């Protein structure tokens, strides 16, 4: 009898394996993690704009990351009163993963081309923007992404001044680093007197602080409190009005930033008003960006979960 035991074990193993193969397994419940932030795009009226949206998905085999399955996509608001069409360009997986509620989520960057054209200066802002995305099989999803702004700029008067250096000033709030100020190195390209009259951030809910200053040397630190001498949370909103003579030598301007509501933002254009003789001109430092990809410590309260049905 003993000589038959190995054969019996093999037979039982084969039967169990066969049963497991023919019994359908319950499909994985696909979920999407996302957090709201400001999406800010700006470019000249002749250039295209591309929107990158990071979504964290718990199934790397899901049809949701197959761009060939996507039929349409656009941004809108809750009332559907403002719509910007998008064209899917690519879906890129990064090495980042997040463990959330006993599940592993993989980070994917959805790259869209913004289908919007104009022949003049235009601003478009969508508060509480929603990404609408439709897949084959009549599968349509709505994901709250935060706020969205698009600015199309006309001719830039870059023959007046040059931005020679940019330094971000950061503040750590709730374990995350936020952009809370800038140090810009600026010099004049003109032989006559040139005055910097105003600095303005072109982003809804983000403003210049109330105490722009000029210094001779670029600071070594990028800590907001070390450079300005006070905590970012005590910052007040300003109107950007100044009156500084710009020379052909680099001068450093310390520009604090004020938020209506603190939200993660990594890019925005800056508008300068310049006085040359008795005429005023606009200069745009287009789409200043202080990080491409930021390691963000996401708090549970900041995460939204979308369950794919």
């Amino acid at each position: 009898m003993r000589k038959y035991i190995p054969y019996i074990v093999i037979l039982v193993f084969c039967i169990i394996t066969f049963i497991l193969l023919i019994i359908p397994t319950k499909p994985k419940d696909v979920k999407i993690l996302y957090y709201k932030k400001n999406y800010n795009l700006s470019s000249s009226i002749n250039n295209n704009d591309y929107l990158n949206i990071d979504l964290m998905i718990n199934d790397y085999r899901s049809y949701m990351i197959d761009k060939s399955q996507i039929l349409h996509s656009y941004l809108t608001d809750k009332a559907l009163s403002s719509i910007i069409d998008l064209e899917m360009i690519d879906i890129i997986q990064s090495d980042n993963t997040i463990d959330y509620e006993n599940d592993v989520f993989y980070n994917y960057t959805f790259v869209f081309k913004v289908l919007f054209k104009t022949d003049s200066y235009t601003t478009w802002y969508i508060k509480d923007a929603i990404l609408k995305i439709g897949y084959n099989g009549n599968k349509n999803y709505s994901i709250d992404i935060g706020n969205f702004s698009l600015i199309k700029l006309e001719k830039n008067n870059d023959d007046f001044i040059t931005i020679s250096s940019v330094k971000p000033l950061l503040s750590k709030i709730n374990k995350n680093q936020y952009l809370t100020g800038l140090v810009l190195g600026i010099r004049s390209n003109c032989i006559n007197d040139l005055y910097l009259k105003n600095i303005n951030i072109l982003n809804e809910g983000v403003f210049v602080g109330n105490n722009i200053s000029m210094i001779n040397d670029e600071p070594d630190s990028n800590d907001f409190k070390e450079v300005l001498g006070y905590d970012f949370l005590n910052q007040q909103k300003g109107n950007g009005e100044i009156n500084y003579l710009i020379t052909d030598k680099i001068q450093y301007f310390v520009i604090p930033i004020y938020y209506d509501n603190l939200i993660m933002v990594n890019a925005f254009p800056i508008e300068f008003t310049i006085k040359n003789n008795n005429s005023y001109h606009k200069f745009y430092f287009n789409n200043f960006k202080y990080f491409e990809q930021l390691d963000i410590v996401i708090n549970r309260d900041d995460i939204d979960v979308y369950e794919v049905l």
Side-chain angles (χ1 to χ4, degrees):
M1 181 68 181
R2 288 185 178 180
K3 67 179 181 179
Y4 295 108
I5 291 178
Y7 298 102
I8 294 174
V9 172
I10 294 174
L11 179 61
V12 171
F13 176 79
C14 292
I15 292 173
I16 293 174
T17 301
F18 177 75
I19 292 174
L20 291 175
L21 289 174
I22 64 173
I23 295 177
T25 58
K26 182 178 182 296
K28 184 180 181 70
D29 292 330
V30 179
K31 297 179 181 179
I32 301 173
L33 292 187
Y34 58 95
Y35 55 95
K36 298 177 183 179
K37 64 178 184 180
N38 276 358
Y39 292 88
N40 308 303
L41 300 178
S42 65
S43 66
S44 69
I45 58 177
N46 298 319
N47 292 343
N48 294 321
D49 296 284
Y50 294 88
L51 175 63
N52 296 345
I53 298 178
D54 288 325
L55 300 176
M56 290 157 282
I57 302 174
N58 67 336
D59 187 355
Y60 59 86
R61 298 162 298 183
S62 172
Y63 67 88
M64 296 201 70
I65 57 175
D66 182 358
K67 68 177 184 179
S68 67
Q69 295 289 319
I70 297 177
L71 299 179
H72 61 80
S73 52
Y74 60 92
L75 291 180
T76 187
D77 56 7
K78 294 180 179 179
L80 299 178
S81 60
S82 182
I83 294 178
I84 295 181
D85 288 321
L86 305 173
E87 176 187 345
M88 166 53 65
I89 300 298
D90 203 359
I91 300 176
I92 304 170
Q93 181 179 3
S94 73
D95 295 330
N96 297 334
T97 60
I98 292 177
D99 294 326
Y100 184 78
E101 294 187 348
N102 300 319
D103 208 346
V104 178
F105 289 79
Y106 306 88
N107 189 85
Y108 295 90
T109 301
F110 285 61
V111 182
F112 300 96
K113 180 180 178 181
V114 180
L115 302 181
F116 178 79
K117 292 293 184 182
T118 183
D119 56 3
S120 60
Y121 176 87
T122 303
T123 62
W124 199 328
Y125 177 70
I126 301 179
K127 181 178 175 58
D128 298 325
I130 300 170
L131 171 64
K132 297 278 191 176
I133 186 166
Y135 290 84
N136 281 321
N138 198 29
K139 299 171 183 176
N140 300 294
Y141 306 110
S142 302
I143 301 173
D144 298 328
I145 63 169
N147 302 321
F148 172 81
S149 66
L150 174 66
I151 301 174
K152 303 300 288 186
L153 306 169
E154 295 183 281
K155 181 182 181 300
N156 202 7
N157 294 295
D158 53 7
D159 50 342
F160 288 107
I161 63 173
T162 295
I163 306 294
S164 61
S165 64
V166 183
K167 188 183 190 73
L169 299 180
L170 308 176
S171 298
K172 194 168 187 178
I173 304 170
N174 297 329
K175 298 182 180 180
N176 282 318
Q177 295 276 22
Y178 286 86
L179 177 66
T180 51
L182 298 171
V183 179
L184 299 181
I186 301 175
R187 64 176 177 83
S188 171
N189 299 328
C190 303
I191 58 174
N192 52 302
D193 289 346
L194 201 67
Y195 287 88
L196 186 55
K197 304 293 289 184
N198 189 281
I199 299 176
N200 183 31
I201 294 174
L202 300 181
N203 183 73
E204 197 76 21
V206 185
F207 304 91
V208 170
N210 65 338
N211 55 346
I212 300 172
S213 60
M214 186 178 71
I215 57 179
N216 293 324
D217 300 307
E218 182 176 356
D220 295 327
S221 174
N222 67 350
D223 182 86
F224 180 95
K225 189 172 183 178
E226 288 184 20
V227 175
L228 282 93
Y230 60 90
D231 192 278
F232 160 74
L233 296 177
N234 296 324
Q235 178 62 52
Q236 300 296 315
K237 180 164 65 174
N239 57 19
E241 292 183 0
I242 53 178
N243 186 33
Y244 285 109
L245 175 65
I246 305 299
T247 69
D248 59 356
K249 295 182 180 180
I250 298 176
Q251 298 159 289
Y252 295 94
F253 288 84
V254 181
I255 307 169
I257 295 174
Y258 176 88
Y259 293 88
D260 269 349
N261 294 293
L262 189 61
I263 189 171
M264 191 63 66
V265 56
N266 78 317
F268 47 72
I270 304 173
E271 178 189 72
F272 301 87
T273 301
I274 304 159
K275 183 180 180 182
N276 181 29
N277 292 326
N278 290 320
S279 59
Y280 289 83
H281 307 272
K282 299 291 187 182
F283 169 79
Y284 299 98
F285 186 34
N286 192 16
N287 216 27
F288 161 74
K289 186 173 293 187
Y290 94 95
F291 63 80
E292 292 286 347
Q293 181 69 37
L294 186 68
D295 293 328
I296 301 174
V297 180
I298 302 179
N299 300 314
R300 286 180 175 268
D301 293 339
D302 298 329
I303 289 180
D304 288 311
V305 181
Y306 189 101
E307 295 191 16
V308 178
L309 302 178

